[in-house]
Amino acid sequence: MGFIDAIKRWKLAQQGMSSGKKRRTYEQGSLTGSMDRSFGVRALLYLLFTFLGTILVMRNSFSYVSEYGTVAFLQISICFAVIAVFEIQHSHKPRNVRVVLMFGSISLHLLVIHIVGIIFKGSDCALIALPYALAPMITSVLLNRQGGIFSTVAVTLSGLLIVPQEFLIHYAVMSLFCGMMVVYLTKSVRRRGSLLRAGVYAGVVILVLAVAYGLIETPQNKDGWADLGQRCGCALGVSLLIAMIVSGLLPVLESIFGVTTDISWLELSDLNHKLMKRLQLEAPGTFHHSLVVASLAEAAAESIGANAPMCRVSAYFHDIGKLKKPLYFIENQGDENPHDTITPTMSALVIIAHVKDGVDLAVKHKLNPLIIDVIKEHHGDSLVYYFYHKANELK
């Protein structure tokens, strides 16, 4: 079909009836979209992560259920099923990519617990070195606060099947307190420094709980001071290291899972973007109008708990299609009005066309898909009443 369309456009261009160019369009793949929301794919993902969790438990020599494969499978299944039900109920857009992100981070968290247990061979020092902040931080930043809470509960319940039996209470309390602290501090992350702050506070929580449980004690001799320093450094350093790693990998994770964090939205709000500079020079009235709309949209979003940074950035770019014919829009006009020299029908077409022109520019400059959706939808589908009435008067 693409080849036939190209021939048709070439023939029209030869007759002077077309420029021969095809307008850029933005469309999400139907196959990808259907798989992303398929219940069957979602069920397979649940089953896959359940088997992975079961294998991880069975291969862990420190787990009290490692010898009972059926018990491990049932406990992991129940744990993941409970979290899945809560995740579905609290998600207004059920997407399978959320499942991969949620359970992928949980599985990675459990895998690191398994590795740390092997390195420290089941000693109490392993409790201090566990990555309590890993899955809660990833899901809280990339999904939302509820996702962070779900993952905290999940890694706590699932981790109980991996850690040695004598440390179950210690692990559960440290995991819950640290995870909730991270979720609370990352509920609205707009700077990468906020992630490092969350890592430091999480490390302090681990340090305090380790002291409370006697995992870190005042040494009785000189040789014990080195062990004390290592344990304190481990308690504070692991969570900080996780925060640094997540901060560095954030752009990669956003690209893989198709998620845009508040940090990225703030980076996109830079008015030095090429399109924003063009808007300032070629359509200053539209530029000022966009700034006002952005402020209103951000205030409205904050009042109802919506994504305020996304609304601000989308408002910046919503009228970029007016760059095609800026003088045909009243905010950019001087003493002359170009609409006085053309028919009302043509005027209406020019006004409506700025939406398509905006999508064309957005696709060309590879703007965020959510911004493109706003450009497509911002004008609605109502009549251009002024020129409609003007056309009726000319009849």
Side-chain angles (χ1 to χ4, degrees), residues 235-306:
L236 293 170
V238 170
S239 296
L240 181 59
L241 178 62
I242 289 172
M244 294 172 64
I245 293 173
V246 172
S247 177
L249 292 178
L250 211 53
V252 178
L253 295 174
E254 290 182 53
S255 177
I256 292 174
F257 295 104
V259 178
T260 307
T261 63
D262 286 351
I263 296 175
S264 294
W265 283 121
L266 288 176
E267 291 173 351
L268 288 170
S269 67
D270 185 6
L271 295 179
N272 288 316
H273 190 281
K274 188 175 181 179
L275 286 173
M276 287 292 99
K277 284 187 173 182
R278 282 190 59 191
L279 210 60
Q280 294 177 49
L281 297 175
E282 301 175 26
T286 300
F287 175 74
H288 179 264
H289 159 75
S290 298
L291 294 183
V292 174
V293 172
S295 297
L296 291 172
E298 184 179 41
E302 288 176 347
S303 66
I304 63 173

Side-chain angles (χ1 to χ4, degrees), residues 10-11 17 21-22 46 54 133 155 157 177 179 195 224 230 243 247 263 265 281 296 299 331 337 352 362 373 390 392:
W10 177 78
K11 288 183 177 180
M17 300 177 65
K21 296 181 180 179
K22 185 177 180 181
Y46 288 150
T54 304
V155 296
L157 295 178
F177 272 84
L195 294 178
Q230 290 177 358
S247 177
I263 296 175
W265 283 121
L281 297 175
L296 291 172
E331 65 267 23
N337 187 349
I352 295 171
D373 290 338
K390 191 174 180 180
N392 285 334

